[in-house]
Amino acid sequence: MVGSGPLGDAVPVVEPELVDVVVVGLGVGGEEVAGRLAEAGLSVVGVERDLVGGECPYWGCIPSKMMIRAANALAEARRVDGLAGTAQVQPDWAPVAKRIREEATDTWDDTVAVRRLTDRGARFVRGSGRLDGPGRVRVGDQVFQARHGIVLGTGTRPSVPPIEGLADTPYWTNHQAIEVEQLPESLLVLGGGAIGLELSQVFARFGVRVTVVEALDRVLAIEEPEASEVAATALRADGVEIHTGVRAERIEHDGSRFTLHGGGGADFTADRLLVVTGRRAHLDELGLDTVGVDAAQRYLPVDDRLHVSDGIWAVGDVTGEGAFTHISMYQAGIVIADVLANARQANAGPDASGTASVVGGAMGAASSLGASGSSGSAGSVPRADYRALPRVTFTDPEVGAVGLTEQQARQRGINVQVGFTKLGSSTRGWIHRVGDEGFIKLIADADQGVLIGATSVGPAGGEVLSALVVAVHAAVPLSQLRHMIYAYPTFHRAIEDALRNLS
Ligand SMILES: Cc1cc2nc3c(=O)[nH]c(=O)nc-3n(C[C@H](O)[C@H](O)[C@H](O)COP(=O)(O)OP(=O)(O)OC[C@H]3O[C@@H](n4cnc5c(N)ncnc54)[C@H](O)[C@@H]3O)c2cc1C
């Protein structure tokens, strides 16, 4: 028997299989939700069309940080001169490519990840999942009816701008940049955001001639202007050419080289072109119309418990709350707790049976999950709170930031105080000498007497950030921060100087 699909195509009508939960998209967030709910005793179907684990382990955080680790080792060796004698460095990409292939990605094979998921008790289905009416998910010929909910963790894909000629060229996205075995001689990078800068610095340190073209007037435009300046200076010192305020108008590929024609007659050529101009969710593929949700949106709007609509939750990049693995994992904790709470409630009738006892037993575990909300009372489901969202750009120096920038705070009409200090003027920065570029910038709400944002740039900028995240998250009074003891001579001791400079 066949029915009619959303595009008028023939869709086989099959009897849905009843399960507790269906998770569509098994990136970091989806895999965590599917695994934890299965461990809690629910019958869970996890659907993934590509690789279980998603972007982060195969084409994102992990392999890019392996590249950065290697590139930073080269940079440190080059800093021996003047500090500890002389050193000669011979960069070789082969061990980096091998490590990514063998240690990070199993040559882009998810056998181990699938086993990790099924060992936790979830059932795995390979394919594209799509909503097929309330509570239902279709994967090819299979249809699942979810008793307790559907979780969408379908992530994003690279957003490629509609620049004339670009679509017909063999441009790279982060996928080809991560999979590269032989480095090109020259590389054009379209986009000066976090991913563009991280990869540019890596490739430059391995000898590639890198040119970054950014349409906005500065790189890392979402961070503090001082951070953009330090990052741009550091990359230029590594030989990266940076052109800001240049809008790419046309791209050509002559069979071997790319030419990017920018506004005002600026032309750039290179062997390869890497497009890193943001990410986009593809909501039109999810069958949202079958459950009354508008698919013509940039992201899936969610409430503070990650509800999209009745019985549907979303997790990760698809929610648009921050494209970070830690956001996806944080949201996963909330979704797990909420699904379990709902399942327990649904099963709590006088003749409760089936999953009720298992789910009830799992609630202790759910309430101790990583997601810490502001509601706080025992057994309650935490609510998402992004005030202290940390973000780190792993350039050298690292750019760590949390909460609001100065501009964002002023736009909200907050009575802002700013504290700033350069790392080089701290004892540790002075000792460190070469490679000590950086600063601490604090944004305080003068009326509340608390920090609402901070930026930490430096050799360990992402690690120093943790103290500032605690301060913003817990709204620690400035008076308390001023009377803390900061270990001498650490980089984080510069926070004390920045606090002293708040005005
Ligand atoms: C180069 C790079 C470096 C990064 N570095 C960092 C970093 O250092 N720190 C950090 O926090 N973040 C980093 N990120 C971001 C991080 O990778 C993402 O935030 C994270 O992967 C998002 O996870 P997610 O749960 O949304 O799922 P994703 O990883 O986006 O995975 C979603 C999955 O859903 C699948 N899918 C989609 N639609 C369907 C469907 N209809 N049916 C079945 N399956 C479907 C996809 O195949 C995919 O596997 C980086 C990203 C990139 C590209």
Side-chain angles (χ1 to χ4, degrees), residues 63-64 66-68 70-71 74 90-101 172 176-184 199 201-208:
S64 68
M66 279 184 174
M67 291 160 75
I68 288 166
L74 291 176
Q90 194 59 49
D92 181 5
W93 188 252
V96 185
K98 184 171 187 283
R99 193 167 179 219
I100 290 173
R101 213 184 322 110
W172 283 0
Q176 291 77 27
I178 297 285
E179 291 173 13
V180 67
E181 293 273 341
Q182 298 253 310
L183 295 184
L199 294 176
Q201 191 174 44
V202 165
F203 290 133
R205 286 180 165 183
F206 274 87
V208 179

Side-chain angles (χ1 to χ4, degrees), residues 23-32 46-65 67-68 125-131 137-139 152-158 173-175 177-178 194-196 198-199 276 279 282 285-286 315-319 322-329 331-332 390-394:
V23 182
V24 181
L26 299 174
V28 279
E31 184 189 345
E32 177 71 358
V47 186
E48 170 58 51
R49 67 172 166 213
D50 200 351
L51 297 179
V52 171
E55 204 72 3
C56 180
Y58 296 103
W59 296 285
C61 335
I62 293 176
S64 68
K65 267 76 237 175
M67 291 160 75
I68 288 166
V125 176
R126 180 93 63 194
S128 277
R130 195 189 152 90
L131 295 164
V137 172
R138 174 180 284 274
V139 190
L152 301 172
T154 49
T156 56
R157 296 207 289 270
T173 65
N174 61 300
H175 282 220
I178 297 285
I195 295 173
E198 288 181 3
L199 294 176
V276 273
R279 315 269 310 172
H282 290 259
E285 301 170 355
L286 297 178
V315 69
D317 285 8
V318 74
T319 66
F324 301 103
T325 287
H326 44 272
I327 285 290
S328 194
M329 295 294 284
Q331 293 176 329
R391 44 199 192 271
V392 180
T393 302
F394 292 88

Side-chain angles (χ1 to χ4, degrees), residues 80-219:
V80 164
D81 288 24
L83 272 183
T86 56
Q88 281 202 327
V89 191
Q90 194 59 49
D92 181 5
W93 188 252
V96 185
K98 184 171 187 283
R99 193 167 179 219
I100 290 173
R101 213 184 322 110
E102 295 180 0
E103 292 178 35
T105 68
D106 285 347
T107 318
W108 293 273
D109 180 309
D110 67 352
T111 307
V112 171
V114 171
R115 200 178 319 123
R116 182 174 66 213
L117 179 71
T118 53
D119 281 353
R120 295 169 92 180
R123 180 168 150 203
F124 175 60
V125 176
R126 180 93 63 194
S128 277
R130 195 189 152 90
L131 295 164
D132 193 28
R136 277 198 310 279
V137 172
R138 174 180 284 274
V139 190
D141 290 348
Q142 292 171 281
V143 178
F144 300 97
Q145 180 76 43
R147 207 185 276 124
H148 295 308
I150 294 168
V151 182
L152 301 172
T154 49
T156 56
R157 296 207 289 270
S159 162
V160 178
I163 299 167
E164 186 187 334
L166 176 60
D168 303 325
T169 68
Y171 64 86
W172 283 0
T173 65
N174 61 300
H175 282 220
Q176 291 77 27
I178 297 285
E179 291 173 13
V180 67
E181 293 273 341
Q182 298 253 310
L183 295 184
E185 276 185 22
S186 55
L187 176 72
L188 273 172
V189 178
L190 188 58
I195 295 173
L197 292 197
E198 288 181 3
L199 294 176
S200 292
Q201 191 174 44
V202 165
F203 290 133
R205 286 180 165 183
F206 274 87
V208 179
R209 268 181 291 111
V210 181
T211 306
V212 175
V213 177
E214 165 60 53
L216 299 175
D217 63 357
R218 60 186 173 98
V219 293

Side-chain angles (χ1 to χ4, degrees), residues 18-21 40-43 146-149 338-361 363:
L18 194 60
V19 298
D20 287 332
V21 176
L42 297 183
S43 65
R147 207 185 276 124
H148 295 308
D338 205 31
V339 170
L340 289 176
N342 280 18
R344 186 174 62 171
Q345 208 173 23
N347 285 297
D351 60 347
S353 60
T355 56
S357 57
V358 186
V359 169
M363 280 311 292

Side-chain angles (χ1 to χ4, degrees), residues 182-360:
Q182 298 253 310
L183 295 184
E185 276 185 22
S186 55
L187 176 72
L188 273 172
V189 178
L190 188 58
I195 295 173
L197 292 197
E198 288 181 3
L199 294 176
S200 292
Q201 191 174 44
V202 165
F203 290 133
R205 286 180 165 183
F206 274 87
V208 179
R209 268 181 291 111
V210 181
T211 306
V212 175
V213 177
E214 165 60 53
L216 299 175
D217 63 357
R218 60 186 173 98
V219 293
L220 278 191
I222 60 165
E223 301 300 355
E224 296 283 5
E226 297 91 336
S228 305
E229 209 177 300
V230 174
T233 304
L235 264 75
R236 285 189 172 116
D238 281 312
V240 178
E241 255 189 56
I242 298 180
H243 298 270
T244 53
V246 177
R247 196 161 279 282
E249 292 183 343
R250 192 161 49 88
I251 309 275
E252 283 171 18
H253 186 251
D254 65 5
S256 66
R257 282 176 77 74
F258 287 85
T259 303
L260 184 155
H261 301 279
D267 288 352
F268 307 95
T269 60
D271 296 330
R272 294 283 173 194
L273 169 68
L274 169 62
V275 179
V276 273
T277 44
R279 315 269 310 172
R280 197 165 84 78
H282 290 259
L283 302 186
D284 47 333
E285 301 170 355
L286 297 178
L288 290 165
D289 52 315
T290 69
V291 293
V293 174
D294 180 11
Q297 307 179 79
R298 201 170 146 80
Y299 296 107
L300 267 181
V302 286
D303 68 11
D304 58 6
R305 289 187 184 178
L306 289 314
H307 287 163
V308 176
S309 71
D310 209 21
I312 301 180
W313 287 258
V315 69
D317 285 8
V318 74
T319 66
E321 298 288 0
F324 301 103
T325 287
H326 44 272
I327 285 290
S328 194
M329 295 294 284
Y330 170 78
Q331 293 176 329
I334 296 171
V335 171
I336 292 161
D338 205 31
V339 170
L340 289 176
N342 280 18
R344 186 174 62 171
Q345 208 173 23
N347 285 297
D351 60 347
S353 60
T355 56
S357 57
V358 186
V359 169

